[in-house]
Amino acid sequence: MSLKRKDFLGLYDVSKEEINEILDTAVAMKDILTRTVKKVPTLRGKTVINLFYEPSTRTKFSFNLAAKRLSADVMSISKSSSSIAKGESLLDTAKTMEVMGADVVVIRHSAPGAAKFLAENISASVLNAGDGAHAHPTQALLDIYSIKEKLGQIAGLKVLIVGDIAHSRVARSNIWGLNKLGAEVAVAGPQTLIPREIEKMGVKVYSDLDRALENVDVVNILRIQMERQESGLFPSIREYREIYGMNAERLERIGKKAMIMHPGPMNRGIEIESSVADSSQSVITEQVKNGVAIRMALLYLLAGREIDNENLN
Amino acid sequence: MDKSEMKIKKELIDSAAMGRAITRIAHEILEKNKGTADLVLIGIRTRGVPLAERLAAKIEEIEGIKLPTGILDITLYRDDLSTVAQQPIVHRTEIPFDITGKKVVLVDDVLYTGRTVRAALDALIDLGRPLQIQLAIMIDRGHRELPIRADFVGKNLPTSKDEVVDVNFKEIDEKDAVLLLEKT
């Protein structure tokens, strides 16, 4: 069993077996990150292009590092410092990259479907690093990996995602992935930030965080974006913190076994209190490390397609 | 080559002969290294692993000392990754000790083209700087494509390139045996 696809666009059309293969591969990749020589020659001669149409620090850095750890050549292009700023279309930019020898194009774009559009129009592998509010599969995979690493399994776990579900590609991708692996997923947040009919994705919906926290194994806290308050989707930062903020008291109530996650960057003191972020139950820094391992696994699995398999002895 | 499409042509070595070969290799390792000082055994996945464990058990029987043993996965170091259809599955390398300054005996079941051993040497050197690397194998079937030779050999078996030498260990397979397979 191996990943048999040109592109990796989201967890919605990926099988449970494929997810498990990525997670298993990431275990070996993470070992490399702890060695003295943190590099393997696996993707020598391959070229990875990071095409970032949206600001990103950790995802871009993480993909960069993942490609370098595997010995691929990697180039990063951001919107402001390239011909994109001169008005070149997404497709023209990507075609240019392809002609220059890109094997994998990693794309971050504000438009949902941008990765899929690219995948259909270029022959290089396309890896979705976040497209609008649609999908962010590598974030979900690193979240799932972090849960599995700490709790040993996914099936049967109760996972709660708290915050702005409506604008969150991280939430959507987590729901797709976790459901496939047999977790029970719930979401909690202000009704204005919960998309209508989200139940159809197979999740429970809570507006009362304290009820949602009962018997929970994992709490994944999303970043609250300040501009949402300005557009009137919730009354005030202070009120959000009171009602949906993860604080020390709530942490104590969920018990020592439950784990805390946040995809970053955090608003300390708003959706998450510092004492929660830095608690022993928090895996927030480990998530960052696991992100590199997951992206290495995906780059490895996507870079090898076509041609025939032969035994070597 | 897919073993399910092959038939058994001949049993080359039975379980008793395999046991004797392992005993002899264990003695040879001890003789060459004048004992067990700084010696470690590292098996290449998959079937180098049970062989390394058998050698460690035999050496313990002889010398009363349990050598550190590790597992090496060479997948990320293969030289044919750009030509295979699907990326082979990557497993973990499990070497819970520092190999720097050690005499490493690398263990595999079959020595054929030498490409696996080349990959293993690169993988080991990324983990540390061993004093020496020696090579122990059950079957040397010839057809080398790289300048590599084994220090300890269970048996030399000249084969044709159409055949497959299948070393079985009861830990993984049904029983201990070395089989010669050919295409059906």
Side-chain angles (χ1 to χ4, degrees):
Chain A
M1 174 69 220
S2 184
L3 208 62
K4 282 184 203 157
R5 47 178 70 240
K6 173 172 104 56
D7 312 295
F8 196 78
L9 305 177
L11 296 183
Y12 48 90
D13 70 344
V14 174
S15 70
K16 182 182 167 183
E17 289 71 28
E18 283 174 300
I19 294 175
N20 281 324
E21 190 191 3
I22 298 162
L23 297 176
D24 290 346
T25 305
V27 175
M29 295 300 180
K30 193 172 177 187
D31 287 344
I32 294 165
L33 302 176
T34 63
R35 312 190 321 199
T36 321
V37 178
K38 297 176 185 61
K39 200 179 182 77
V40 287
T42 317
L43 295 188
R44 260 181 324 165
K46 300 273 185 190
T47 305
V48 177
I49 307 273
N50 287 330
L51 204 50
F52 276 67
Y53 283 77
E54 265 190 346
S56 158
T57 310
R58 66 189 68 212
T59 306
K60 190 161 78 177
F61 185 70
S62 182
F63 267 111
N64 252 321
L65 205 54
K68 287 182 178 180
R69 298 296 191 217
L70 292 169
S71 301
D73 293 314
V74 57
M75 234 74 88
S76 290
I77 297 145
S78 325
K79 195 175 176 178
S80 54
S81 60
S82 63
S83 335
I84 303 166
K86 297 179 190 166
E88 187 176 49
S89 78
L90 168 61
L91 187 55
D92 283 341
T93 305
K95 286 235 154 117
T96 308
M97 300 308 132
E98 189 169 39
V99 171
M100 289 195 211
D103 297 291
V104 181
V105 176
V106 177
I107 180 171
R108 158 70 64 92
H109 202 287
S110 57
K116 184 164 190 278
F117 166 76
L118 210 56
E120 285 164 356
N121 286 288
I122 64 172
S123 60
S125 287
V126 175
L127 221 163
N128 188 1
D131 58 335
H134 177 229
H136 191 358
T138 58
Q139 178 69 45
L141 285 170
L142 77 89
D143 290 344
I144 293 168
Y145 182 94
S146 304
I147 299 172
K148 199 175 172 189
E149 185 177 58
K150 189 159 164 101
L151 302 179
Q153 53 160 55
I154 300 295
L157 290 181
K158 287 195 164 71
V159 181
L160 175 68
I161 306 170
V162 184
D164 181 358
I165 310 298
H167 302 92
S168 177
R169 53 191 171 211
V170 176
R172 242 170 286 273
S173 294
N174 261 287
I175 294 168
W176 281 314
L178 287 166
N179 273 342
K180 280 185 182 167
L181 299 182
E184 264 181 57
V185 188
V187 297
Q191 270 174 18
T192 47
L193 296 178
I194 303 273
R196 241 184 297 161
E197 305 201 333
I198 184 105
E199 299 86 347
K200 289 190 176 162
M201 286 186 81
V203 297
K204 271 190 202 160
V205 181
Y206 292 93
S207 52
D208 179 349
L209 178 62
D210 292 310
R211 267 196 56 212
L213 287 173
E214 284 168 20
N215 300 317
V216 84
D217 298 299
V218 180
V219 186
N220 197 349
I221 302 150
L222 301 177
R223 174 186 170 76
I224 194 78
Q225 282 162 327
M226 303 304 173
E227 61 268 27
R228 307 287 176 227
Q229 191 257 324
E230 285 153 23
S231 55
L233 290 170
F234 59 94
S236 75
I237 297 290
R238 203 180 69 180
E239 192 176 304
Y240 186 87
R241 181 178 55 216
E242 294 290 314
I243 304 177
Y244 296 104
M246 196 66 195
N247 54 32
E249 187 212 326
R250 288 184 167 127
L251 181 70
E252 198 175 319
R253 214 172 319 131
I254 61 173
K256 283 273 171 234
K257 278 189 197 149
M259 61 188 276
I260 298 288
M261 302 205 293
H262 191 299
M266 287 184 274
N267 294 308
R268 282 176 184 263
I270 302 176
E271 72 264 7
I272 185 164
E273 229 173 52
S274 267
S275 65
V276 177
D278 304 329
S279 67
S280 61
Q281 283 138 284
S282 158
V283 295
I284 296 169
T285 51
E286 205 60 24
Q287 280 175 270
V288 177
K289 197 187 278 179
N290 293 340
V292 180
I294 280 289
R295 288 167 183 127
M296 285 170 77
L298 270 171
L299 288 174
Y300 168 73
L301 292 168
L302 283 183
R305 51 195 171 84
E306 294 153 300
I307 336 154
D308 201 45
N309 202 349
E310 207 183 316
N311 258 348
L312 96 174
N313 236 322
Chain B
M1 266 175 271
D2 189 354
K3 280 179 196 164
S4 62
E5 286 165 25
M6 311 205 74
K7 71 169 199 299
I8 298 170
K9 192 177 179 183
K10 203 167 144 190
E11 184 177 272
L12 297 168
I13 298 180
D14 62 14
S15 148
M18 246 172 94
R20 285 191 288 271
I22 290 167
T23 305
R24 178 176 49 77
I25 294 172
H27 280 286
E28 284 176 3
I29 290 172
L30 290 168
E31 190 184 4
K32 184 181 165 90
N33 293 287
K34 303 182 178 71
T36 56
D38 294 327
L39 208 56
V40 301
L41 298 171
I42 294 179
I44 301 175
R45 273 193 205 276
T46 306
R47 284 176 179 71
V49 178
L51 184 54
E53 280 160 8
R54 298 271 189 101
L55 286 169
K58 190 51 79 178
I59 287 170
E60 191 178 5
E61 213 179 289
I62 302 163
E63 294 281 303
I65 286 164
K66 178 107 181 76
L67 292 184
T69 49
I71 299 172
L72 187 67
D73 188 89
I74 56 115
T75 311
L76 297 171
Y77 290 84
R78 284 171 63 154
D79 65 2
D80 60 346
L81 287 175
S82 58
T83 59
V84 295
Q86 281 171 30
Q87 297 291 67
I89 292 174
V90 184
H91 295 281
R92 298 181 82 169
T93 283
E94 295 168 47
I95 302 176
F97 46 84
D98 188 2
I99 60 167
T100 299
K102 301 287 187 220
K103 294 186 217 167
V104 174
V105 180
L106 194 59
V107 182
D108 203 3
D109 58 344
V110 179
L111 181 59
Y112 181 32
T113 62
R115 289 178 191 269
T116 300
V117 174
R118 196 284 312 159
L121 293 174
D122 278 354
L124 276 181
I125 281 159
D126 276 358
L127 295 175
R129 188 172 188 274
L131 190 65
Q132 284 181 20
I133 302 176
Q134 302 164 11
L135 178 61
I137 47 137
M138 183 52 89
I139 304 294
D140 184 344
R141 60 169 294 197
H143 304 289
R144 211 80 74 241
E145 292 168 6
L146 296 171
I148 279 167
R149 58 158 186 79
D151 299 274
F152 313 102
V153 181
K155 198 168 171 57
N156 286 294
L157 283 173
T159 55
S160 102
K161 282 193 159 188
D162 300 327
E163 294 163 334
V164 167
V165 175
D166 185 23
V167 180
N168 288 240
F169 290 98
K170 61 174 183 284
E171 293 91 329
I172 302 174
D173 313 290
E174 277 172 28
K175 55 170 190 169
D176 285 354
V178 178
L179 307 172
L180 188 65
L181 308 180
E182 67 175 356
K183 275 194 189 128
T184 47

